[in-house]
Amino acid sequence: MSKLKETLSTLFKDLNINTPDISFKVIFWDGTTDNYGSMSPQFTLHLKTENAAARILRSGSLGFAEEYVNGNILVEGDITLLIRLCNDPHLKLSLRTKLLIFFYYLKTLNTLDNSKKNISHHYDLGNDFFKLWLDKTMAYTCAYYKKDSDTLEQAQLQKYEHICRKLQLKKGDTLIDLGCGWGEFLIYAAREFGINGMGISINEQQAEYARGRSRQEGVEDKAHFVLEDYRNVTGQYDKVSTIGMTEHIGKNYLPLFIKKIKSLLKPEGFGLLHTIGNIVAKPPDPWLVKYIFPGVYIPALNEVAYLMGKEGLVITDVENLRFHYPITLDEWSRRFEQNIEKIKNMFDERFIRMWYLYLKGTSGSLRYGNYQLYQMTFTKGSNNSIPLTREHLYC
């Protein structure tokens, strides 16, 4: 047995010892196979080349993901179980991986110039692409499921309603939505609650789409969309929302982001921050930064809470919706796979594998890893008009 195969076999045995309820099969580059675990394999990992196998040890998740995308590593069966194994807390980052993380951190730092480039890398894939697998509201954040039979469309509308109630929106409120995406939350709030809102985006395709939807829904006088970086936004509002933008801010810019939220809120105003979060602070995955979301940083809950407290933003409630996100991602994956042929006409096989891994990997990290999904509500200073209970959310 070669030294490389021996090292990998030891790694797989250790992973299996730490996660004994997962059994899997490995097919090595020379055609030999090994089985790990006492049950029938739940997935098969096929290492097609020796170099691909070596890159797993040299570059960790980046090496694995790049070789998977290039077709040199195959996974048959439930890939989320492999993600679970890779989230083993006993696994340590190599020095090479740490250096790669630092390199991509510097390269994609969210300066004013870089932020637009980073967002464009992902969202300029085009509205037609995202329409194939998102729901009709084009929501690209965790949905809110009340029961197993809810459709994705229902769950996304339920999320909008849930957030509106958390913000205690009422007719005539002014609301700014930072990182408004394709605009549907603000349109919903304007249509159903009568608010006057401003949506902020730095992606031209999303902003233009949101304006069109606002006109279609007849709320263009209440839901306005502006192409601008959050750092340049001014004014004060009764309510502030930011749904899925915090992950794009970057660790170094989180203090500035929270300070900006404070400046945009009127005294005693309400805010809601919806974000993927880590249990503890840790660097982002280098593959995710390099290929999917340049500039991404998943903050820990305590990082955000500390910065809010420092700025005098009083946290009134924290809800963890982690269970809802894998359901959302699995539905996106199902729709993505359902439209594979159409997506192939837009991109190539390598792109298909990359995005399949991204969707499945994120789902696995939420089910088995450190990822959480937090909704935090807060006020600017103390506000004594907050309801005593949560009944207003569920009536």
Side-chain angles (χ1 to χ4, degrees):
M1 180 183 291
S2 70
K3 185 65 176 177
L4 173 58
K5 191 187 295 186
E6 183 181 349
T7 303
L8 284 168
S9 183
T10 300
L11 171 64
F12 295 143
K13 286 175 184 175
D14 288 344
L15 290 173
N16 183 240
I17 289 171
N18 292 327
T19 319
D21 57 325
I22 296 179
S23 294
F24 58 99
K25 177 181 179 180
V26 177
I27 303 175
F28 293 97
W29 54 91
D30 59 3
T32 59
T33 64
D34 271 344
N35 287 282
Y36 302 89
S38 57
M39 303 176 291
S40 297
Q42 293 153 291
F43 68 86
T44 297
L45 174 64
H46 188 179
L47 306 173
K48 294 181 69 175
T49 70
E50 189 171 2
N51 181 64
R55 288 209 64 214
I56 296 176
L57 297 181
R58 288 202 310 268
S59 303
S61 63
L62 177 64
F64 168 83
E66 287 184 335
E67 295 301 326
Y68 177 90
V69 169
N70 289 331
N72 297 323
I73 294 177
L74 303 179
V75 181
E76 299 171 6
D78 190 352
I79 195 171
T80 61
L81 293 178
L82 176 59
I83 303 300
R84 181 181 171 191
L85 288 176
C86 295
N87 275 287
D88 187 328
H90 298 92
L91 290 177
K92 303 298 182 184
L93 295 177
S94 68
L95 176 60
R96 178 184 174 84
T97 299
K98 290 177 181 177
L99 291 173
L100 284 169
I101 289 171
F102 185 63
F103 169 76
Y104 290 116
Y105 161 75
L106 292 177
K107 186 178 179 181
T108 61
L109 200 61
N110 282 303
T111 61
L112 272 170
D113 288 337
N114 268 356
S115 287
K116 188 173 178 60
K117 293 177 186 175
N118 290 341
I119 290 297
S120 293
H121 174 89
H122 192 90
Y123 293 98
D124 279 0
L125 293 170
N127 293 346
D128 289 342
F129 167 64
F130 289 100
K131 282 178 182 177
L132 289 174
W133 49 278
L134 297 179
D135 73 297
K136 63 182 180 181
T137 74
M138 295 288 279
Y140 194 22
T141 51
C142 175
Y144 182 69
Y145 289 85
K146 293 185 177 180
K147 52 186 184 297
D148 292 340
S149 60
D150 285 346
T151 65
L152 178 62
E153 284 75 13
Q154 285 175 307
Q156 292 293 8
L157 291 173
Q158 286 163 184
K159 174 186 67 187
Y160 298 147
E161 180 71 18
H162 195 52
I163 291 173
C164 287
R165 292 188 180 202
K166 284 188 173 186
L167 286 168
Q168 299 179 58
L169 295 183
K170 60 184 183 299
K171 187 175 182 179
D173 273 351
T174 54
L175 166 67
I176 186 166
D177 187 30
L178 301 173
C180 63
W182 285 277
E184 204 68 28
F185 167 68
L186 197 67
I187 292 168
Y188 182 93
R191 186 181 64 233
E192 303 297 329
F193 288 82
I195 59 91
N196 295 302
M198 180 74 73
I200 306 299
S201 174
I202 58 172
N203 183 264
E204 294 178 13
Q205 291 193 46
Q206 287 187 322
E208 188 57 36
Y209 181 91
R211 293 184 191 115
R213 283 288 301 133
S214 184
R215 289 191 295 270
Q216 284 180 348
E217 292 297 313
V219 293
E220 65 268 31
D221 59 327
K222 294 183 177 295
H224 307 278
F225 297 94
V226 175
L227 193 65
E228 187 59 88
D229 190 281
Y230 73 92
R231 284 164 278 212
N232 297 328
V233 178
T234 58
Q236 283 201 315
Y237 299 80
D238 299 310
K239 312 287 169 68
V240 172
S241 59
T242 180
I243 307 168
M245 178 180 170
T246 308
E247 303 93 323
H248 297 289
I249 296 301
K251 185 178 179 69
N252 276 18
Y253 293 94
L254 270 175
L256 178 62
F257 183 57
I258 300 302
K259 190 183 290 288
K260 174 57 70 172
I261 288 174
K262 175 189 176 182
S263 75
L264 292 170
L265 268 179
K266 293 178 181 178
E268 299 187 1
F270 284 84
L272 180 138
L273 187 150
H274 169 122
T275 185
I276 300 175
N278 263 314
I279 298 174
V280 295
K282 59 186 299 187
D285 182 88
W287 180 76
L288 197 66
V289 176
K290 184 177 180 181
Y291 291 101
I292 305 296
F293 285 120
V296 72
Y297 175 72
I298 307 299
L301 179 62
N302 66 302
E303 289 181 280
V304 180
Y306 170 77
L307 292 170
M308 284 186 173
K310 191 175 178 182
E311 292 299 329
L313 297 176
V314 180
I315 296 171
T316 59
D317 189 66
V318 179
E319 184 175 17
N320 190 338
L321 297 175
R322 179 178 67 86
F323 293 137
H324 297 254
Y325 215 170
I327 303 172
T328 307
L329 281 152
D330 289 348
E331 180 59 17
W332 289 344
S333 294
R334 187 189 69 78
R335 294 173 181 221
F336 184 90
E337 293 178 66
Q338 196 174 49
N339 288 284
I340 283 289
E341 293 306 315
K342 293 179 181 177
I343 297 171
K344 281 180 183 176
N345 290 332
M346 297 177 176
F347 304 102
D348 57 19
E349 291 281 356
R350 190 174 179 278
F351 179 90
I352 298 289
R353 288 192 293 270
M354 180 170 65
W355 271 72
Y356 178 81
L357 182 60
Y358 153 58
L359 292 170
K360 288 292 188 180
T362 307
S363 176
S365 293
L366 281 151
R367 274 198 172 91
Y368 307 121
N370 288 322
Y371 282 177
Q372 311 294 307
L373 194 285
Y374 296 117
Q375 279 188 356
M376 307 173 68
T377 54
F378 53 90
T379 59
K380 184 175 179 177
S382 296
N383 185 321
N384 293 330
S385 68
I386 298 171
L388 289 173
T389 71
R390 290 177 169 176
E391 288 182 17
H392 62 290
L393 299 180
Y394 308 110
C395 60

